[in-house]
Amino acid sequence: MRRPEAIVIGCSKGGFNALKLLLGALDPQLPQTVLVCCHTASGAGVLAGLLAAHSALPVIEVGERQPASPGIVHVAPGGYHLLLEHDRHFALSVDEPVCFSRPSIDVLFGSAADTYHAALIGVVLTGANRDGADGLGQIRAHGGIAVVQAPVSAEAATMPQAALDIAGADYCLPLEQIAPLLNRLCLT
Amino acid sequence: MPAPQPDAELEQIELDLFVQALKRRHGHDFSQYAQASLIRRVRQLVHAHHCGSISALTTRLLHEPDFLTLVIQGLSVPVSEMFRDPPVFSALREHVLPILASYPQITIWQAGCAHGQEVYSLAILLEEAGLYERSHIFATDFNPDALQRAQEGIYPARDAQLWSRNYLLAGGRQSLASYYSARYDFIKLDQRLRRHITFADHNLVTDKVFCEAHLVLCRNVLIYFSNPLQNRTLALFRNSLVRGGHLCLGLRESLDFAPTAVDFTAVDANLRLYRRNSQPSSEEHDEAA
Ligand SMILES: C[S@@+](CC[C@H](N)C(=O)[O-])C[C@H]1O[C@@H](n2cnc3c(N)ncnc32)[C@H](O)[C@@H]1O
């Protein structure tokens, strides 16, 4: 199996607490590019700042046309969809919201799958809508790995449940077991 | 078991051929659009028209005269709001209108006008500042259907709440409702707002300078362009602006990396509001016509 080059994480309701825990437990040596799409009411700038205090890896809010860099957590800015170009630079769009969301997890997951193909891990965490399910399906179709937070352990079960129903998962785990799994998949 | 992996190389070939057909057959050049968004739109077109593949879409584009309109509608993203990003409109009101007021005739170009939400927002700003009688706004887009709707100024009523909030946050003096009438599920903007607006088909990729503007507003269009096309378009804006004229871009667009940046000074860098220098820079960049 090819070693993953990127991890892409999607969440909404309850996402901040889940991300705090997950990013805090990642191995600081992780060489993968980490991408995060979290629907929040507050701006992504605020979210990135708050997460940085808890994360093992540096956290930044994505700016237009920045490169996706290894070993860094990139947070999607509010009000725009986040996509990746083949040269692994970010692109933003104001296309219609998907699942009432912009940024949308489906859009980011789909674009990441187009870019990293099988060398990608998609993670769907807690959330109260079904954004991310189709995107996770695309990741799997490209041969990437799908990880879903066990719905019973999620603050809001709808999003991980929809991901399981529509895309299925290679791993379905309680939140605190997800970071150790990612460390294992990414470092060995 | 997992479906066969999508064939990325095949899709890329099909996309390239589609873009070529669009350019050679219809003169619409998307070759320098940012690919990630473009492929998303093209896939949506394939899906919406039950084409099965991009090649089938290309066939229809080549052989069905009326299909182009649908393709342009699908590739254009006429998604907008009135007073989107209210602080930008406050800044226009506070910093730009007082300077515009010093001109006997005011010319404004709003490029990528979508369904007209932004150009009517500008008209309201000018009206409230007592400047509209001596203003003229050119609102352009390359999507004829969007231009048609922009002229009509009819929008779903469900948008009015957000737009009213935006208007007030942008320092609006009345209530947005005083500029529209509501009927069933729609609002219709006061036709008087249209009296100094010219709506016109203009493609930023292929068309040239057509006015001398005191303000160019082009927001959330450049994000869809590759870097070279952004640079060219920004030079086109520079050439369309009088010295001392203002340029306003989208909040996630920037002048910083373009060669023409030397010709501008930031008025508010965070709000992407710039002013063309009154003195020529030593090396004015001439890439656009
Ligand atoms: C996302 S909308 C932006 C609307 C508005 N300016 C805003 O920020 O809310 C982008 C618009 O740019 C137009 N557009 C895209 N490419 C263009 C081109 N080459 N020439 C002219 N207009 C273009 C699209 O048709 C669409 O209406």
Side-chain angles (χ1 to χ4, degrees):
Chain A
M1 196 187 71
R2 249 172 94 192
R3 186 168 173 179
E5 291 177 58
I7 303 169
V8 60
I9 305 171
C11 53
S12 85
K13 185 166 190 269
F16 176 66
N17 285 331
L19 284 171
K20 242 171 39 179
L21 206 142
L22 192 156
L23 296 179
L26 287 181
D27 190 308
Q29 305 299 322
L30 226 57
Q32 278 73 18
T33 302
V34 183
L35 312 169
V36 172
C37 177
C38 177
H39 311 145
T40 52
S42 57
V46 181
L47 179 68
L50 291 172
L51 286 176
H54 301 274
S55 168
L57 301 168
V59 184
I60 58 167
E61 188 197 358
V62 174
E64 166 69 357
R65 281 169 215 277
Q66 278 174 355
S69 311
I72 292 182
V73 179
H74 306 265
V75 179
Y80 295 81
H81 290 305
L82 180 62
L83 301 100
L84 280 153
E85 299 289 350
H86 289 310
D87 67 0
R88 297 176 184 198
H89 279 64
F90 289 109
L92 298 168
S93 98
V94 289
D95 283 22
E96 302 83 354
V98 173
C99 296
F100 307 101
S101 307
R102 195 175 55 205
S104 142
I105 302 167
D106 280 337
V107 173
L108 175 62
F109 278 22
S111 183
D114 284 341
T115 306
Y116 295 102
H117 307 289
L120 177 66
I121 305 177
V123 183
V124 174
L125 303 176
T126 169
N129 65 22
R130 48 145 296 172
D131 192 15
D134 290 340
L136 196 68
Q138 290 182 51
I139 291 176
R140 298 197 87 193
H142 280 264
I145 300 170
V147 182
V148 174
Q149 178 176 4
V152 284
S153 82
E155 191 172 324
T158 311
M159 186 176 282
Q161 190 60 54
L164 289 177
D165 293 346
I166 290 162
D170 300 290
Y171 301 90
C172 176
L173 298 170
L175 181 61
E176 53 291 353
Q177 290 178 28
I178 292 180
L181 170 75
L182 295 175
N183 291 335
R184 192 155 49 75
L185 291 173
C186 290
L187 288 167
T188 49
Chain B
M1 275 291 86
Q5 295 201 4
D7 189 334
E9 195 195 344
L10 178 61
E11 191 184 45
Q12 188 63 48
I13 296 171
E14 293 191 271
L15 179 67
D16 292 347
L17 291 172
F18 170 79
V19 168
Q20 230 192 69
L22 200 49
K23 184 171 167 185
R24 291 186 52 190
R25 181 72 180 170
H26 299 289
H28 279 286
D29 185 358
F30 285 86
S31 61
Q32 294 197 65
Y33 276 57
Q35 292 263 312
S37 280
L38 184 64
I39 189 67
R40 200 172 159 256
R41 306 299 298 186
V42 172
R43 284 179 191 155
Q44 282 177 0
L45 271 172
V46 168
H47 185 76
H49 298 288
H50 310 288
C51 285
S53 71
I54 301 177
S55 302
L57 193 70
T58 308
T59 304
R60 293 191 61 184
L61 181 70
L62 289 173
H63 295 286
E64 292 176 31
D66 297 336
F67 199 57
L68 174 68
T69 324
L70 296 175
V71 167
I72 293 299
Q73 274 177 43
L75 297 183
S76 147
V77 184
V79 179
S80 188
E81 286 168 24
M82 285 188 83
F83 298 95
R84 179 187 236 166
D85 307 320
V88 173
F89 284 86
S90 310
L92 290 173
R93 204 191 279 272
E94 281 166 35
H95 303 303
V96 180
L97 295 197
I99 295 170
L100 293 182
S102 65
Y103 295 100
Q105 293 289 331
I106 301 165
T107 303
I108 296 175
W109 177 20
Q110 199 240 321
C113 68
H115 292 163
Q117 296 91 332
E118 228 172 22
V119 70
Y120 289 119
S121 309
L122 275 178
I124 289 172
L125 281 190
L126 291 161
E127 188 89 279
E128 293 187 355
L131 297 174
Y132 200 34
E133 283 322 316
R134 49 186 161 116
S135 302
H136 197 90
I137 314 180
F138 294 99
T140 63
D141 205 286
F142 77 151
N143 174 352
D145 173 71
L147 285 168
Q148 178 62 37
R149 289 184 193 223
Q151 307 227 29
E152 288 163 6
I154 298 172
Y155 306 99
R158 62 171 183 274
D159 291 335
Q161 200 181 354
L162 172 68
W163 298 0
S164 297
R165 197 160 2 113
N166 286 351
Y167 164 78
L168 292 174
L169 287 171
R173 312 230 158 115
Q174 334 196 7
S175 133
L176 189 62
S178 54
Y179 294 101
Y180 64 75
S181 50
R183 197 175 291 172
Y184 307 108
D185 293 337
F186 293 94
I187 59 168
K188 181 164 174 51
L189 288 181
D190 186 346
Q191 286 294 290
R192 281 176 39 81
L193 286 175
R194 223 177 65 187
R195 67 194 188 280
H196 300 298
I197 304 174
T198 302
F199 291 98
D201 195 327
H202 180 280
N203 190 326
L204 291 168
V205 182
T206 39
D207 293 329
K208 308 255 144 85
V209 170
F210 66 92
C211 68
E212 271 220 311
H214 302 101
L215 166 65
V216 170
L217 190 87
C218 181
R219 308 181 67 236
N220 301 309
V221 182
L222 296 182
I223 41 173
Y224 292 101
F225 293 179
S226 67
N227 289 345
L229 182 56
Q230 287 196 26
N231 294 347
R232 251 189 42 121
T233 308
L234 287 165
L236 178 76
F237 294 155
R238 197 270 321 273
N239 292 342
S240 302
L241 278 169
V242 300
R243 294 194 183 284
H246 285 83
L247 173 65
C248 185
L249 304 176
L251 288 184
R252 296 284 165 175
E253 295 163 338
S254 162
L255 197 56
D256 297 352
F257 307 105
T260 193
V262 296
D263 305 321
F264 288 88
T265 304
V267 175
D268 187 324
N270 280 332
L271 297 180
R272 314 301 155 119
L273 183 58
Y274 307 91
R275 190 168 186 191
R276 184 174 176 195
N277 298 333
S278 13
Q279 298 301 319
S281 67
S282 47
E283 8 120 35
E284 286 234 325
H285 279 273
D286 258 313
E287 292 167 65

